[in-house]
PDB file of all heavy atoms in Angstrom:
ATOM      1  N   ILE A  94      13.075  -4.452  18.693  1.00  0.00           N
ATOM      2  CA  ILE A  94      14.134  -5.371  18.262  1.00  0.00           C
ATOM      3  C   ILE A  94      13.616  -6.241  17.125  1.00  0.00           C
ATOM      4  O   ILE A  94      14.292  -6.447  16.121  1.00  0.00           O
ATOM      5  CB  ILE A  94      14.641  -6.225  19.449  1.00  0.00           C
ATOM      6  CG1 ILE A  94      15.416  -5.341  20.434  1.00  0.00           C
ATOM      7  CG2 ILE A  94      15.518  -7.382  18.963  1.00  0.00           C
ATOM      8  CD1 ILE A  94      15.807  -6.030  21.719  1.00  0.00           C
ATOM      9  N   CYS A  95      12.382  -6.708  17.281  1.00  0.00           N
ATOM     10  CA  CYS A  95      11.755  -7.519  16.229  1.00  0.00           C
ATOM     11  C   CYS A  95      11.645  -6.717  14.936  1.00  0.00           C
ATOM     12  O   CYS A  95      11.902  -7.237  13.851  1.00  0.00           O
ATOM     13  CB  CYS A  95      10.378  -7.973  16.715  1.00  0.00           C
ATOM     14  SG  CYS A  95       9.443  -8.926  15.524  1.00  0.00           S
ATOM     15  N   LYS A  96      11.248  -5.465  15.041  1.00  0.00           N
ATOM     16  CA  LYS A  96      11.156  -4.613  13.855  1.00  0.00           C
ATOM     17  C   LYS A  96      12.519  -4.484  13.195  1.00  0.00           C
ATOM     18  O   LYS A  96      12.644  -4.538  11.980  1.00  0.00           O
ATOM     19  CB  LYS A  96      10.627  -3.217  14.213  1.00  0.00           C
ATOM     20  CG  LYS A  96       9.148  -3.171  14.499  1.00  0.00           C
ATOM     21  CD  LYS A  96       8.378  -3.405  13.243  1.00  0.00           C
ATOM     22  CE  LYS A  96       6.899  -3.250  13.479  1.00  0.00           C
ATOM     23  NZ  LYS A  96       6.124  -3.661  12.311  1.00  0.00           N
ATOM     24  N   GLY A  97      13.551  -4.285  14.010  1.00  0.00           N
ATOM     25  CA  GLY A  97      14.899  -4.165  13.470  1.00  0.00           C
ATOM     26  C   GLY A  97      15.358  -5.423  12.762  1.00  0.00           C
ATOM     27  O   GLY A  97      16.075  -5.366  11.764  1.00  0.00           O
ATOM     28  N   LEU A  98      14.921  -6.579  13.275  1.00  0.00           N
ATOM     29  CA  LEU A  98      15.242  -7.852  12.625  1.00  0.00           C
ATOM     30  C   LEU A  98      14.597  -7.939  11.253  1.00  0.00           C
ATOM     31  O   LEU A  98      15.164  -8.502  10.321  1.00  0.00           O
ATOM     32  CB  LEU A  98      14.717  -9.021  13.470  1.00  0.00           C
ATOM     33  CG  LEU A  98      15.479  -9.370  14.729  1.00  0.00           C
ATOM     34  CD1 LEU A  98      14.654 -10.315  15.580  1.00  0.00           C
ATOM     35  CD2 LEU A  98      16.809  -9.999  14.374  1.00  0.00           C
ATOM     36  N   ALA A  99      13.378  -7.422  11.159  1.00  0.00           N
ATOM     37  CA  ALA A  99      12.585  -7.601   9.939  1.00  0.00           C
ATOM     38  C   ALA A  99      12.880  -6.574   8.851  1.00  0.00           C
ATOM     39  O   ALA A  99      12.622  -6.844   7.687  1.00  0.00           O
ATOM     40  CB  ALA A  99      11.102  -7.546  10.297  1.00  0.00           C
ATOM     41  N   LEU A 100      13.374  -5.416   9.230  1.00  0.00           N
ATOM     42  CA  LEU A 100      13.622  -4.373   8.236  1.00  0.00           C
ATOM     43  C   LEU A 100      14.866  -4.707   7.429  1.00  0.00           C
ATOM     44  O   LEU A 100      15.886  -5.106   7.983  1.00  0.00           O
ATOM     45  CB  LEU A 100      13.790  -3.010   8.911  1.00  0.00           C
ATOM     46  CG  LEU A 100      12.538  -2.442   9.570  1.00  0.00           C
ATOM     47  CD1 LEU A 100      12.890  -1.211  10.392  1.00  0.00           C
ATOM     48  CD2 LEU A 100      11.487  -2.105   8.530  1.00  0.00           C
ATOM     49  N   LYS A 101      14.772  -4.542   6.118  1.00  0.00           N
ATOM     50  CA  LYS A 101      15.919  -4.841   5.259  1.00  0.00           C
ATOM     51  C   LYS A 101      17.033  -3.841   5.485  1.00  0.00           C
ATOM     52  O   LYS A 101      18.201  -4.185   5.522  1.00  0.00           O
ATOM     53  CB  LYS A 101      15.491  -4.842   3.799  1.00  0.00           C
ATOM     54  CG  LYS A 101      14.580  -5.994   3.491  1.00  0.00           C
ATOM     55  CD  LYS A 101      14.151  -6.001   2.055  1.00  0.00           C
ATOM     56  CE  LYS A 101      13.128  -7.100   1.938  1.00  0.00           C
ATOM     57  NZ  LYS A 101      12.875  -7.631   0.725  1.00  0.00           N
ATOM     58  N   LYS A 102      16.647  -2.577   5.647  1.00  0.00           N
ATOM     59  CA  LYS A 102      17.635  -1.531   5.893  1.00  0.00           C
ATOM     60  C   LYS A 102      17.100  -0.630   6.994  1.00  0.00           C
ATOM     61  O   LYS A 102      15.992  -0.117   6.897  1.00  0.00           O
ATOM     62  CB  LYS A 102      17.886  -0.717   4.627  1.00  0.00           C
ATOM     63  CG  LYS A 102      18.938   0.340   4.798  1.00  0.00           C
ATOM     64  CD  LYS A 102      19.211   1.074   3.513  1.00  0.00           C
ATOM     65  CE  LYS A 102      20.273   2.128   3.784  1.00  0.00           C
ATOM     66  NZ  LYS A 102      20.510   2.960   2.621  1.00  0.00           N
ATOM     67  N   VAL A 103      17.877  -0.456   8.038  1.00  0.00           N
ATOM     68  CA  VAL A 103      17.466   0.395   9.144  1.00  0.00           C
ATOM     69  C   VAL A 103      18.009   1.794   8.911  1.00  0.00           C
ATOM     70  O   VAL A 103      19.217   1.987   8.773  1.00  0.00           O
ATOM     71  CB  VAL A 103      17.956  -0.164  10.497  1.00  0.00           C
ATOM     72  CG1 VAL A 103      17.666   0.810  11.618  1.00  0.00           C
ATOM     73  CG2 VAL A 103      17.306  -1.500  10.783  1.00  0.00           C
ATOM     74  N   THR A 104      17.097   2.753   8.848  1.00  0.00           N
ATOM     75  CA  THR A 104      17.470   4.155   8.704  1.00  0.00           C
ATOM     76  C   THR A 104      16.994   4.907   9.936  1.00  0.00           C
ATOM     77  O   THR A 104      16.185   4.400  10.720  1.00  0.00           O
ATOM     78  CB  THR A 104      16.814   4.771   7.455  1.00  0.00           C
ATOM     79  OG1 THR A 104      15.389   4.760   7.635  1.00  0.00           O
ATOM     80  CG2 THR A 104      17.186   4.006   6.189  1.00  0.00           C
ATOM     81  N   LEU A 105      17.476   6.122  10.087  1.00  0.00           N
ATOM     82  CA  LEU A 105      17.027   6.970  11.192  1.00  0.00           C
ATOM     83  C   LEU A 105      15.522   7.219  11.087  1.00  0.00           C
ATOM     84  O   LEU A 105      14.808   7.242  12.096  1.00  0.00           O
ATOM     85  CB  LEU A 105      17.797   8.297  11.195  1.00  0.00           C
ATOM     86  CG  LEU A 105      17.511   9.242  12.354  1.00  0.00           C
ATOM     87  CD1 LEU A 105      17.781   8.568  13.695  1.00  0.00           C
ATOM     88  CD2 LEU A 105      18.335  10.511  12.222  1.00  0.00           C
ATOM     89  N   LYS A 106      15.025   7.353   9.861  1.00  0.00           N
ATOM     90  CA  LYS A 106      13.590   7.561   9.658  1.00  0.00           C
ATOM     91  C   LYS A 106      12.792   6.348  10.131  1.00  0.00           C
ATOM     92  O   LYS A 106      11.775   6.493  10.800  1.00  0.00           O
ATOM     93  CB  LYS A 106      13.299   7.842   8.181  1.00  0.00           C
ATOM     94  CG  LYS A 106      11.837   8.102   7.901  1.00  0.00           C
ATOM     95  CD  LYS A 106      11.590   8.361   6.429  1.00  0.00           C
ATOM     96  CE  LYS A 106      10.088   8.543   6.192  1.00  0.00           C
ATOM     97  NZ  LYS A 106       9.768   8.655   4.784  1.00  0.00           N
ATOM     98  N   ASN A 107      13.239   5.134   9.790  1.00  0.00           N
ATOM     99  CA  ASN A 107      12.559   3.922  10.238  1.00  0.00           C
ATOM    100  C   ASN A 107      12.564   3.815  11.763  1.00  0.00           C
ATOM    101  O   ASN A 107      11.542   3.532  12.381  1.00  0.00           O
ATOM    102  CB  ASN A 107      13.230   2.670   9.666  1.00  0.00           C
ATOM    103  CG  ASN A 107      13.034   2.518   8.181  1.00  0.00           C
ATOM    104  OD1 ASN A 107      12.177   3.146   7.583  1.00  0.00           O
ATOM    105  ND2 ASN A 107      13.854   1.683   7.584  1.00  0.00           N
ATOM    106  N   ALA A 108      13.723   4.020  12.357  1.00  0.00           N
ATOM    107  CA  ALA A 108      13.836   3.941  13.814  1.00  0.00           C
ATOM    108  C   ALA A 108      12.978   5.018  14.473  1.00  0.00           C
ATOM    109  O   ALA A 108      12.313   4.771  15.483  1.00  0.00           O
ATOM    110  CB  ALA A 108      15.297   4.076  14.236  1.00  0.00           C
ATOM    111  N   GLY A 109      12.971   6.225  13.881  1.00  0.00           N
ATOM    112  CA  GLY A 109      12.151   7.319  14.419  1.00  0.00           C
ATOM    113  C   GLY A 109      10.665   7.027  14.333  1.00  0.00           C
ATOM    114  O   GLY A 109       9.899   7.357  15.239  1.00  0.00           O
ATOM    115  N   THR A 110      10.253   6.402  13.247  1.00  0.00           N
ATOM    116  CA  THR A 110       8.841   6.029  13.097  1.00  0.00           C
ATOM    117  C   THR A 110       8.419   5.069  14.197  1.00  0.00           C
ATOM    118  O   THR A 110       7.394   5.269  14.857  1.00  0.00           O
ATOM    119  CB  THR A 110       8.600   5.392  11.709  1.00  0.00           C
ATOM    120  OG1 THR A 110       8.923   6.349  10.704  1.00  0.00           O
ATOM    121  CG2 THR A 110       7.156   4.945  11.550  1.00  0.00           C
ATOM    122  N   VAL A 111       9.209   4.041  14.421  1.00  0.00           N
ATOM    123  CA  VAL A 111       8.907   3.073  15.482  1.00  0.00           C
ATOM    124  C   VAL A 111       8.928   3.769  16.843  1.00  0.00           C
ATOM    125  O   VAL A 111       8.024   3.593  17.662  1.00  0.00           O
ATOM    126  CB  VAL A 111       9.901   1.891  15.444  1.00  0.00           C
ATOM    127  CG1 VAL A 111       9.711   0.972  16.646  1.00  0.00           C
ATOM    128  CG2 VAL A 111       9.742   1.102  14.149  1.00  0.00           C
ATOM    129  N   GLY A 112       9.938   4.593  17.085  1.00  0.00           N
ATOM    130  CA  GLY A 112      10.050   5.306  18.356  1.00  0.00           C
ATOM    131  C   GLY A 112       8.870   6.221  18.624  1.00  0.00           C
ATOM    132  O   GLY A 112       8.348   6.272  19.747  1.00  0.00           O
ATOM    133  N   LEU A 113       8.426   6.940  17.597  1.00  0.00           N
ATOM    134  CA  LEU A 113       7.292   7.857  17.785  1.00  0.00           C
ATOM    135  C   LEU A 113       5.985   7.103  18.021  1.00  0.00           C
ATOM    136  O   LEU A 113       5.168   7.530  18.848  1.00  0.00           O
ATOM    137  CB  LEU A 113       7.168   8.796  16.592  1.00  0.00           C
ATOM    138  CG  LEU A 113       8.248   9.875  16.508  1.00  0.00           C
ATOM    139  CD1 LEU A 113       8.120  10.662  15.207  1.00  0.00           C
ATOM    140  CD2 LEU A 113       8.198  10.809  17.705  1.00  0.00           C
ATOM    141  N   TRP A 114       5.777   6.007  17.326  1.00  0.00           N
ATOM    142  CA  TRP A 114       4.564   5.212  17.564  1.00  0.00           C
ATOM    143  C   TRP A 114       4.538   4.702  19.001  1.00  0.00           C
ATOM    144  O   TRP A 114       3.559   4.900  19.719  1.00  0.00           O
ATOM    145  CB  TRP A 114       4.497   4.016  16.604  1.00  0.00           C
ATOM    146  CG  TRP A 114       3.799   4.303  15.327  1.00  0.00           C
ATOM    147  CD1 TRP A 114       4.377   4.530  14.106  1.00  0.00           C
ATOM    148  CD2 TRP A 114       2.384   4.401  15.115  1.00  0.00           C
ATOM    149  NE1 TRP A 114       3.408   4.758  13.164  1.00  0.00           N
ATOM    150  CE2 TRP A 114       2.172   4.676  13.754  1.00  0.00           C
ATOM    151  CE3 TRP A 114       1.276   4.278  15.950  1.00  0.00           C
ATOM    152  CZ2 TRP A 114       0.903   4.831  13.208  1.00  0.00           C
ATOM    153  CZ3 TRP A 114       0.013   4.425  15.409  1.00  0.00           C
ATOM    154  CH2 TRP A 114      -0.168   4.706  14.052  1.00  0.00           C
ATOM    155  N   PHE A 115       5.622   4.046  19.409  1.00  0.00           N
ATOM    156  CA  PHE A 115       5.636   3.444  20.734  1.00  0.00           C
ATOM    157  C   PHE A 115       5.717   4.496  21.832  1.00  0.00           C
ATOM    158  O   PHE A 115       5.009   4.405  22.838  1.00  0.00           O
ATOM    159  CB  PHE A 115       6.781   2.438  20.860  1.00  0.00           C
ATOM    160  CG  PHE A 115       6.579   1.198  20.029  1.00  0.00           C
ATOM    161  CD1 PHE A 115       7.661   0.482  19.567  1.00  0.00           C
ATOM    162  CD2 PHE A 115       5.317   0.738  19.701  1.00  0.00           C
ATOM    163  CE1 PHE A 115       7.490  -0.668  18.812  1.00  0.00           C
ATOM    164  CE2 PHE A 115       5.121  -0.404  18.940  1.00  0.00           C
ATOM    165  CZ  PHE A 115       6.223  -1.106  18.496  1.00  0.00           C
ATOM    166  N   GLY A 116       6.558   5.503  21.663  1.00  0.00           N
ATOM    167  CA  GLY A 116       6.660   6.565  22.663  1.00  0.00           C
ATOM    168  C   GLY A 116       5.363   7.345  22.805  1.00  0.00           C
ATOM    169  O   GLY A 116       4.945   7.690  23.911  1.00  0.00           O
ATOM    170  N   GLY A 117       4.706   7.623  21.674  1.00  0.00           N
ATOM    171  CA  GLY A 117       3.439   8.355  21.711  1.00  0.00           C
ATOM    172  C   GLY A 117       2.356   7.602  22.459  1.00  0.00           C
ATOM    173  O   GLY A 117       1.647   8.171  23.296  1.00  0.00           O
ATOM    174  N   PHE A 118       2.244   6.310  22.188  1.00  0.00           N
ATOM    175  CA  PHE A 118       1.223   5.522  22.881  1.00  0.00           C
ATOM    176  C   PHE A 118       1.583   5.275  24.340  1.00  0.00           C
ATOM    177  O   PHE A 118       0.699   5.223  25.197  1.00  0.00           O
ATOM    178  CB  PHE A 118       0.948   4.206  22.141  1.00  0.00           C
ATOM    179  CG  PHE A 118      -0.139   4.349  21.122  1.00  0.00           C
ATOM    180  CD1 PHE A 118       0.138   4.916  19.880  1.00  0.00           C
ATOM    181  CD2 PHE A 118      -1.434   3.967  21.407  1.00  0.00           C
ATOM    182  CE1 PHE A 118      -0.860   5.079  18.937  1.00  0.00           C
ATOM    183  CE2 PHE A 118      -2.446   4.129  20.461  1.00  0.00           C
ATOM    184  CZ  PHE A 118      -2.165   4.694  19.223  1.00  0.00           C
TER     185      PHE A 118
END
């Protein structure tokens, strides 16, 4: 949620990057 607040434009690629980092770990 914090990342979404900070990103100027949310794209599927941005959301996927965050999801893969957190899901992977």
Side-chain angles (χ1 to χ4, degrees):
I94 290 173
C95 178
K96 285 291 185 188
L98 285 167
L100 292 171
K101 292 180 186 201
K102 182 177 179 185
V103 173
T104 64
L105 184 57
K106 181 181 177 186
N107 291 344
T110 299
V111 173
L113 288 174
W114 270 103
F115 291 152
F118 270 80

